[in-house]
């Protein structure tokens, strides 16, 4: 049975160590092929075999580690064939939730978790403040102040038992499985200080008989929990702002559709719409699913996909996309792609997958974080041991305080959040620019690319060529010309569309046995005869050469025109001169890339004349014509062998091989599905000026990640020795109270998130 890939929310995940523990636990289960944990959005993406393991079994495995896997989110519907018989909308149809509904379930789980966190934080502060005030008055247990210390114990119990309960529960379950995380540090520090204080309060003679004071630290344990929870609360609010890009995309999809059934208009949940249904879209409404218009005309606002501010005119046969707004007339449409198969859902899924991906630097940080907590615990034990060795039993109280401060101030959260926080913000910024990046590695690598290889047709040109002239051989019949139109109609190449438009209808002629030869042309059978259509190389492969009249006609065409030949194995029957306009923004984009010091190359399967013309217009000095897909692939491989980091920009099936070979594949959004699947970056509105901006975004992403990691490492490197009391070795008597240590720890995580959010406001 085929595998499934699902994403679910996870409750109780606080740091990079938590994420690593979840990943390890799930990967050990039979039937799971891959696991990706996103600490920032608190989700886990699992690829598994449903015949071997169920989501509930995964949830049970994580529950043993005190994590809650929310598996009751709706499943994504299976794609329904377009030609399938559309069921009538009725109560019997069970809605198949789409991506936006799954996103709603995640948002609901996050909302519940945030409310719980908020309430625990409020309770912590309500009781921690009185405990702190009492601690300021009496830090040492005496006969006169015993009752005040007892009052502090009572007031701290709600903080320890309620507000701090998730820390202790998580630490316990982690411990019995031989693991630890940030909760372990919080639980150890607050638990040790609280239990020590209880012992000191009820057995002060143990210290008095040894000539020592009996100290209590109820305020330290209470304030640590209050500060840690406050930090998490601020962090959650900042994270919710950063992941708003997916929710904003999800909100674009309508919840209901007007289905036409037996001539009646039936309001139906979008989740119940299947391919083949007929829908009515009124003016001002959002289009519910992807499909094509079958009656009526309108103007549709597709700015969410293209960035173009003006609505696009649509008529019968035109494609319309889910989430776009019908601004003018009403029209009827047939549903083609529904649920998770719509372009909007695919974009949402691409952004979500990219946010869950890990860059090389993040994988390194995860490995460091896995050792962080055990090392910190050893440092805390070592701190207490050194204090006892240098100061004897009289230094026990200060040593314990320093050990607790080391546990509290150490922050794996800042390390774990530094890279993924910036990634989420950068991907959201890119999505708003209409640049979709599939994974973190592509975003990191894009700005490092030294060589940019461009396809010509549909990439540097508009991809909407016009057949300016048709040459017809005296031996060609009307049926032959119809066959020319019929076989070109089967190809998705822009040149083919232009020829079909010029030749007109091929009614009465059916083309079969269609074959696409990348970089050459096409073949098909019409009326029992095999025809071919393609470039000069394909014509030569067929053993044919143009006669004198065709040579003169070809020479009289404009220099930038592409010539498509058509014929049989015996003769050339026709030819078409097709011209494609250069994108108006192409020269500006090329100039910007040149200014960045990038090497620019154009590789095209077209002839030398149109290739030279296009390269000259856009400003590319190095170009190669008549390139087959495997030749483009070999060129990129050669560049990489010479140490160049290569980005390939293309839009067609013939570019897919090169897109896959390049370090970063960049597809034009209106290109073929194959190109978009292979590429790791997609320019949704085909505006090449976004390419230099994407490079600047990549550079900013790397800079902000380095900045976040530097401060996270610097914070721990500076604060851990300070909390341990290293300054005392130099005669500076300084001991950090755990209360202040917890405030520093909370501030470190919040500062990393706020630093990442700055990326939203930097000019690109």
């Amino acid at each position: 049975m085929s595998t499934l890939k699902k994403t679910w929310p996870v409750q109780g995940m606080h740091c990079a160590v938590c994420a690593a523990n979840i990943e390890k636990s799930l990967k050990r289960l039979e039937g799971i092929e891959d696991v990706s944990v996103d600490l920032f959005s608190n989700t886990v993406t699992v690829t598994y075999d449903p015949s071997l393991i169920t989501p509930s079994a995964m949830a049970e495995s994580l529950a043993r580690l005190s994590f809650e896997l929310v598996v009751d989110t709706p499943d994504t519907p299976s794609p329904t064939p377009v030609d399938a018989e559309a069921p009538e909308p009725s109560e019997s149809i069970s809605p198949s939730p789409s991506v936006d509904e799954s996103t709603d379930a995640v948002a609901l789980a996050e909302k519940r978790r945030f409310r719980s966190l908020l309430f625990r934080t409020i309770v912590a502060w309500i009781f921690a403040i009185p405990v702190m005030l009492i601690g300021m008055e009496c830090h040492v247990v005496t006969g006169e102040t015993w009752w005040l210390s007892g009052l502090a114990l009572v007031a701290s119990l709600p903080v320890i038992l309620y507000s701090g309960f998730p820390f202790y529960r998580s630490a316990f379950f982690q411990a019995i499985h031989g693991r630890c995380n940030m909760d372990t540090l919080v639980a150890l520090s607050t638990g040790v200080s609280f239990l020590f204080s209880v012992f000191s309060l009820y057995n002060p003679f143990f210290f008095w008989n040894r000539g020592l004071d009996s100290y209590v630290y109820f305020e330290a344990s209470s304030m640590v929990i209050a500060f840690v929870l406050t930090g998490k609360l601020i962090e959650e609010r900042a994270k919710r702002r950063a992941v708003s890009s997916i929710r904003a995309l999800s909100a674009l999809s309508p919840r209901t559709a007007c289905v036409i059934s037996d001539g009646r208009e039936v309001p139906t949940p979008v989740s119940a719409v299947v391919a083949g249904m007929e829908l009515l879209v009124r003016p001002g409404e959002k289009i519910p699913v992807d499909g094509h218009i079958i009656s009526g005309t309108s103007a549709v606002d597709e700015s969410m996909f293209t960035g173009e501010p003006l609505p696009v005119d649509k008529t019968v046969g035109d494609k319309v996309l889910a989430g776009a707004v019908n601004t003018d007339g009403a029209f009827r449409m047939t549903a083609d792609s529904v649920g998770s198969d719509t372009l909007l859902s695919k974009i949402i899924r691409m952004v979500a997958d990219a946010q869950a991906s890990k860059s090389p630097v993040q994988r390194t940080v995860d490995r460091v974080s896995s050792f962080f907590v055990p090392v910190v615990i050893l440092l805390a034990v070592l701190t207490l041991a050194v204090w006892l060795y240098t100061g004897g039993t009289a230094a026990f109280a200060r040593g314990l305080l320093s050990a607790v401060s080391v546990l509290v101030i150490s922050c794996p959260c800042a390390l774990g959040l530094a890279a993924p926080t910036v990634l989420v913000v950068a991907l959201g910024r890119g999505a708003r620019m209409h640049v979709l990046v599939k994974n973190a590695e592509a975003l990191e690598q894009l700005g490092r690319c030294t060589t940019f290889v461009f396809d010509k047709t549909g990439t540097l040109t508009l991809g909407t060529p016009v057949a300016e002239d048709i040459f017809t051989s005296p031996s060609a019949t009307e049926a032959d010309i119809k066959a020319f139109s019929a076989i070109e109609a089967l190809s998705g190449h822009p040149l083919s569309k232009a020829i079909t438009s010029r030749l007109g209808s091929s009614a009465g002629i059916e083309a079969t046995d269609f074959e696409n030869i990348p970089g050459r042309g096409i073949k098909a059978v019409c009326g029992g005869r095999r025809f071919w259509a393609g470039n000069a190389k394909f014509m030569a492969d067929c053993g044919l050469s143009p006669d004198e009249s065709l040579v003169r006609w070809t020479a009289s065409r404009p220099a930038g025109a592409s010539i498509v030949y058509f014929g049989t194995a015996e003769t050339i029957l026709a030819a078409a001169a097709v011209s494609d306009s250069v994108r108006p923004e192409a020269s500006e984009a090329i100039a910007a890339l040149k200014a960045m010091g990038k090497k620019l190359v154009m590789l095209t399967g077209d002839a030398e004349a149109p290739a030279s013309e296009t390269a000259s217009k856009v400003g590319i000095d190095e170009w190669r014509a008549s390139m087959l897909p495997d030749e483009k692939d070999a060129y990129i491989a050669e560049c990489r062998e010479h140490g160049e980091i290569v980005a390939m920009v293309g839009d067609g099936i013939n570019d897919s091989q090169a897109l896959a070979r390049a370090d970063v594949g960049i597809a034009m959004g209106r290109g073929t599905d194959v190109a978009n699947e292979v590429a790791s970056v997609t320019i949704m509105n085909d505006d090449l000026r976004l390419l230099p901006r994407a490079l600047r975004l990549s550079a900013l992403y790397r800079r902000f990640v380095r900045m976040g990691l530097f401060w996270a490492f610097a914070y721990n490197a500076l604060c851990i020795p300070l909390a341990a009391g290293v300054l005392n070795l130099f005669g500076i008597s300084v001991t950090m109270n755990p209360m202040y240590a917890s405030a520093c720890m909370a501030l470190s995580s919040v500062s990393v998130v706020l630093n990442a959010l700055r990326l939203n406001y930097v000019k690109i």
Side-chain angles (χ1 to χ4, degrees), residues 131-379:
V131 175
M132 181 187 67
L133 294 175
I134 294 172
M136 292 171 64
E137 289 295 324
C138 60
H139 217 53
V140 180
V141 178
T142 64
E144 293 79 16
T145 62
W146 190 91
W147 69 275
L148 273 177
S149 298
L151 186 61
L153 167 62
V154 174
S156 64
L157 285 174
V159 182
I160 300 294
L161 299 179
Y162 175 70
S163 297
F165 176 74
F167 298 118
Y168 301 115
R169 183 176 183 273
S170 174
F172 172 76
F173 281 103
Q174 294 287 336
I176 63 177
H177 287 87
R179 296 173 184 171
C180 52
N181 60 5
M182 194 202 79
D183 292 340
T184 306
L185 298 180
V186 176
L188 276 176
S189 58
T190 57
V192 168
S193 58
F194 179 78
L195 293 175
F196 175 79
S197 300
V198 172
F199 179 83
S200 298
L201 178 62
Y202 284 99
N203 196 10
F205 295 100
F206 177 84
F207 299 98
W208 294 346
N209 292 340
R210 290 166 174 76
L212 302 174
D213 289 328
S214 180
Y215 290 91
V216 289
Y217 300 108
F218 293 118
E219 83 286 354
S221 55
S222 298
M223 292 300 291
V224 164
I225 290 175
F227 271 120
V228 172
L229 289 175
T230 302
K232 287 186 175 296
L233 194 68
I234 298 172
E235 183 184 309
E236 283 296 321
R237 287 183 65 88
K239 283 163 65 176
R240 289 168 77 179
R241 285 177 56 194
V243 298
S244 59
S245 56
I246 288 183
R247 290 173 191 154
L249 288 171
S250 300
L252 295 172
S253 180
R255 301 309 175 95
T256 59
C258 182
V259 176
I260 304 299
S261 176
D262 296 330
R264 296 180 296 110
E265 298 176 7
V266 183
T268 306
V270 170
S271 54
V273 176
V274 299
M277 279 186 172
E278 183 179 334
L279 312 175
L280 171 66
V281 183
R282 303 181 182 87
E285 293 181 346
K286 290 181 180 179
I287 297 169
V289 296
D290 291 358
H292 62 276
I293 297 177
I294 56 175
S295 68
T297 59
S298 183
V300 177
D301 180 3
E302 295 181 337
S303 58
M304 57 180 290
F305 299 106
T306 65
E308 295 295 332
L310 297 177
V312 181
D313 291 333
K314 299 285 184 179
T315 187
V316 175
D318 288 343
K319 186 175 183 178
V320 288
L321 302 172
V325 179
N326 178 27
T327 62
D328 196 2
F331 61 84
R332 293 191 178 191
M333 60 175 286
T334 296
D336 294 336
S337 300
V338 300
S340 62
D341 293 330
T342 65
L343 177 61
L344 179 60
S345 293
K346 289 178 180 177
I347 291 173
I348 294 171
R349 191 162 54 249
M350 184 188 298
V351 174
D353 288 345
Q355 289 181 353
S357 65
K358 293 181 180 180
S359 63
V361 67
Q362 180 60 32
R363 286 191 283 269
T364 302
V365 170
D366 286 348
R367 286 193 293 270
V368 172
S369 298
S370 64
F371 299 104
F372 187 89
V373 174
V375 169
V376 168
I377 294 173
L378 288 175
L379 286 175

Side-chain angles (χ1 to χ4, degrees), residues 431-486:
R432 292 194 296 275
M433 286 167 32
H434 301 286
V435 176
L436 296 182
V437 185
K438 286 186 178 179
N439 54 65
E441 192 166 354
L443 181 61
E444 188 173 316
Q445 192 82 317
L446 181 60
R448 295 196 178 105
C449 290
T450 58
T451 302
F452 283 78
V453 177
F454 291 87
D455 173 49
K456 181 180 81 72
T457 305
T459 303
L460 293 173
T461 65
L462 289 172
T464 53
V466 176
E468 297 177 343
D469 197 10
I470 301 292
F471 170 85
T472 304
S473 168
S475 61
T477 65
E478 183 180 350
D480 291 335
I481 301 305
K482 282 190 174 183
F484 190 8
S485 178

Side-chain angles (χ1 to χ4, degrees), residues 81-114:
V82 175
D83 58 353
E85 184 179 352
E88 298 298 325
S90 67
E91 295 181 358
S92 63
I93 295 178
S94 57
S96 299
S98 55
V99 171
D100 61 293
E101 291 180 294
S102 296
T103 306
D104 286 345
V106 173
L108 185 61
E110 289 178 354
K111 190 174 182 179
R112 287 198 302 265
R113 184 180 69 250
F114 184 80

Side-chain angles (χ1 to χ4, degrees), residues 575-596:
V578 185
S579 296
D580 192 7
S581 300
V582 171
R583 291 185 182 276
E585 78 282 357
S587 57
E588 182 182 342
I590 295 300
L593 290 172
K594 277 187 174 180
M596 293 179 174

Side-chain angles (χ1 to χ4, degrees), residues 410-426:
S410 306
C411 188
C413 291
L415 286 174
L417 287 171
T421 310
V422 179
L423 174 64
V424 169
V425 176

